[in-house]
Amino acid sequence: MQDAGDERCMRRAIELARQGEGRVEPNPMVGAVIAADGHVVGEGFHERFGGPHAEVVALAAAGQAARGATLFVTLEPCCHHGKTPPCTDAILGAGIRRVVVAVGDPFPDVAGRGIAALRAAGLVVETGVCEAEARRLTSPFRMLVTQGRPWVIAKWAASLDGLLAAPPGADRWISSPESRAIVHELRGRIDAILVGIGTALADDPMLSARPEGPRRSLRIVLDSAARLPLESRLVRTAREWPLLVAAGPSADPARVAALEAAGAEVWRSEAGDHHEQLTCLLGELGRRRHTNILVEGGAGVFDAFFRADLADEIWAFTSPKIFGPGVGDTCGSRTSLARLPETPPMDVEAVSHPGGDLFVRGLVRKRQDPVG
């Protein structure tokens, strides 16, 4: 049974860690709290990629009060030289007596070695306090490290009768302004935003965050034939905001050259199978150290990710609007949730009602757990 004081301090460390979201990737979000005689004497979190780790920030805040105290940290302390010195050295140098770790670090240069080094130096090290919460906190990082691909969030907004796009003549937006603000905040801390060519042609989107967040996401269009128009807003802004067109092996070389001349990057898959193309694309994004990507449709793209078991999280907004029978057929197949026969079950994490919509967020129940 977990000690109530230990759990309270670890939950505070998790709360701190979340403040680094969108700024620390591809590093994990990490928080740390230092307590002595039942009182917090220092706390901190990893604030930005390349900056001091959470333990170092908390130790600096605690100063001499860290000597003989307990350090609570959401992820196993590093024990190797990366962009910063080993946190284990800082912990030992500060005179910490006890370390409580929520979850181990899967990164190969750590992976239990940090805990082992602290124990070998005579510190008391305990693990597993708030482990499930800390594991969820680091799930995108764990996916990147263990599977070599980013964490995939599938996001859609739908009417009550399942349409993903409003019919001609109706208000362009299905979801409320409050729901759209939530999505723009997510866009501002994500590495990439992906849509299919059908959505790009029909909506002519920008796929940007308004206002901008801490990250400027790569915009990706799945476009096997390289059909994206040069006059589209995506291509016209490609020199200011990065754009990647994911083309297939049969794409017209002239179309590829024109897109590249306009400032877009064209990534070509040699695989003809859609499943293999998605897998290869995610592998390429993983090599670029992208940690999170947002998939925004249309229905065929969602279906492809679900069939390939490559979606990890769902953000679903349902508006109380009803457009009526038959409207989905006139709008096109990309706009209907009925086109998602393979949608897997979801373990709900949060439910809210922004602007009268129903917003459900949760994890895709995988056929097998890819990150452990």
Side-chain angles (χ1 to χ4, degrees):
M1 184 163 177
Q2 294 183 359
D3 178 88
D6 286 359
E7 187 171 330
R8 183 171 58 253
C9 286
M10 190 62 78
R11 290 195 184 282
R12 173 56 181 164
I14 291 172
E15 180 183 340
L16 288 165
R18 294 190 189 283
Q19 296 183 45
E21 190 169 17
R23 294 174 172 85
V24 303
E25 292 84 357
N27 282 354
M29 292 179 282
V30 182
V33 169
I34 299 172
D37 300 322
H39 300 285
V40 172
V41 296
E43 60 182 29
F45 64 97
H46 186 30
E47 298 180 15
R48 60 178 178 81
F49 181 70
H53 288 188
E55 301 95 319
V56 173
V57 176
L59 289 169
Q64 289 300 312
R67 191 158 297 277
T70 297
L71 167 68
F72 297 86
V73 62
T74 58
L75 188 69
E76 177 182 3
C78 68
C79 53
H80 66 292
H81 283 272
K83 288 186 174 295
T84 60
C87 288
T88 50
D89 290 356
I91 293 167
L92 295 175
I96 289 288
R97 178 185 60 83
R98 173 175 173 252
V99 178
V100 180
V101 177
V103 69
D105 188 339
F107 191 70
D109 287 342
V110 185
R113 295 181 179 88
I115 291 173
L118 295 174
R119 284 176 172 159
L123 274 67
V124 175
V125 182
E126 299 172 21
T127 62
V129 176
C130 299
E131 179 177 0
E133 296 94 326
R135 187 175 294 276
R136 174 66 185 94
L137 179 74
T138 56
S139 52
F141 167 74
R142 306 179 87 83
M143 179 67 75
L144 183 61
V145 169
T146 63
Q147 301 298 308
R149 71 163 177 88
W151 184 260
V152 176
I153 302 171
K155 186 282 300 179
W156 63 75
S159 65
L160 203 57
D161 49 349
L163 285 191
L164 297 170
D171 184 353
R172 175 187 177 188
W173 303 110
I174 287 181
S175 59
S176 67
E178 292 84 351
S179 293
R180 297 198 298 275
I182 292 171
V183 172
H184 279 284
E185 191 276 333
L186 174 62
R187 283 181 173 185
R189 55 180 171 80
I190 216 84
D191 289 304
I193 302 170
L194 182 149
V195 297
I197 183 60
T199 295
L201 292 174
D203 297 344
D204 193 21
M206 274 288 290
L207 302 182
S208 57
R210 299 182 296 277
E212 288 192 40
R215 303 185 88 76
R216 175 165 275 210
S217 55
L218 172 68
R219 303 172 300 170
I220 302 174
V221 179
L222 295 181
D223 182 11
S224 59
R227 291 188 292 145
L228 187 64
L230 300 182
E231 63 273 16
S232 67
R233 294 201 297 168
L234 286 167
V235 176
R236 285 190 286 112
T237 57
R239 298 191 189 278
E240 293 78 42
W241 199 297
L243 170 66
L244 184 146
V245 177
S250 60
D252 182 351
R255 289 293 309 159
V256 170
L259 286 167
E260 290 176 334
E265 177 187 359
V266 180
W267 175 86
R268 300 189 68 171
S269 170
E270 296 303 320
D273 177 74
H274 289 310
H275 182 163
E276 291 182 24
Q277 287 179 357
L278 287 181
T279 301
C280 291
L281 176 59
L282 291 183
E284 172 62 22
L285 297 177
R287 283 187 288 275
R288 299 183 186 200
R289 310 306 293 161
H290 286 353
T291 307
N292 298 277
I293 74 165
L294 179 62
V295 176
E296 295 205 9
V301 173
F302 291 136
D303 188 40
F305 272 91
F306 289 138
R307 285 180 184 274
D309 205 25
L310 291 173
D312 305 300
E313 187 174 347
I314 292 174
W315 288 39
F317 296 85
T318 302
S319 164
K321 296 176 181 177
I322 298 175
F323 293 116
V327 173
D329 295 332
T330 63
C331 289
S333 62
R334 75 175 185 87
T335 64
S336 174
L337 287 177
R339 305 289 296 181
L340 303 181
E342 295 295 322
T343 306
M346 177 176 66
D347 294 319
V348 175
E349 291 189 311
V351 177
S352 60
H353 298 84
D357 294 339
L358 174 64
F359 172 32
V360 180
R361 177 174 58 81
L363 299 179
V364 175
R365 196 174 301 166
K366 312 294 283 188
R367 289 190 278 271
Q368 57 182 11
D369 184 359
V371 297

